[in-house]
Amino acid sequence: MTEFDFAKINRELAARAAARNARLRPVKSFDRFFVTDYLTEKRKELSDSMTELAKTTGRYLNQADSFKDVDYYFDLDDKGPKLLVKKLIRKANKFLLLRNIDTQRHFNSSLLESNMVLSERIDTLQKQLSALQRQYDQSIRLFDKIASQIQEKKINE
């Protein structure tokens, strides 16, 4: 009697069926795929990343705003000679450091204000981009509707 290797026969039949199905499968149109799937996905990714960027920027700017007016003078916690030495050092450095600290505070404040203005501008541009995307989508839908009507007229004629 002849022995059959059923596993090998099943593999060969499965490979032939897969090759036949691949040959008979209709080819997808590249244009249809590109317009509907790819652009929609990219638009969604861009919108999501812009929203996340706006949230992150807002968090950082709010955190920076809370630190912009840090006072130079703070309470000294020590007692006795240690406190006296710290006060003497503070008095000796005041004329040197206070001017630099005020300049740095002014710079930080100006930089934060400019970042706030830029953040508001980014938010405005994001809203304009969203409006343009909606307008673009409406135009595409109208174009598709007109194209389908023209196609129907050609078929009816």
Side-chain angles (χ1 to χ4, degrees), residues 49-63 119:
S49 66
M50 290 294 286
T51 303
E52 186 62 32
L53 177 66
K55 288 179 185 176
T56 305
T57 304
R59 273 197 313 265
Y60 280 124
L61 289 176
N62 289 335
Q63 185 178 5
S119 176

Side-chain angles (χ1 to χ4, degrees), residues 29-63:
S29 169
F30 179 75
D31 293 334
R32 184 182 62 83
F33 168 76
F34 187 76
V35 171
T36 57
D37 297 338
Y38 182 78
L39 291 180
T40 304
E41 187 65 29
K42 285 298 179 185
R43 216 176 293 128
K44 184 176 182 276
E45 288 175 12
L46 178 65
S47 178
D48 292 345
S49 66
M50 290 294 286
T51 303
E52 186 62 32
L53 177 66
K55 288 179 185 176
T56 305
T57 304
R59 273 197 313 265
Y60 280 124
L61 289 176
N62 289 335
Q63 185 178 5

Side-chain angles (χ1 to χ4, degrees), residues 89-145:
I89 292 172
R90 181 187 277 180
K91 293 278 185 190
N93 288 326
K94 182 178 179 181
F95 74 95
L96 295 173
L97 295 177
L98 199 56
R99 184 174 175 186
N100 290 339
I101 289 171
D102 286 339
T103 305
Q104 184 67 44
R105 184 179 295 144
H106 177 69
F107 172 77
N108 291 346
S109 178
S110 300
L111 186 64
L112 183 62
E113 288 175 16
S114 66
N115 284 339
M116 290 286 199
V117 168
L118 289 174
S119 176
E120 289 174 10
R121 181 67 178 143
I122 288 172
D123 291 341
T124 304
L125 289 174
Q126 184 177 2
K127 289 175 184 174
Q128 289 176 353
L129 177 65
S130 297
L132 286 173
Q133 284 177 340
R134 283 192 301 272
Q135 183 181 2
Y136 171 76
D137 290 338
Q138 288 174 352
S139 299
I140 290 294
R141 276 188 246 120
L142 180 64
F143 175 75
D144 289 341
K145 184 178 177 181

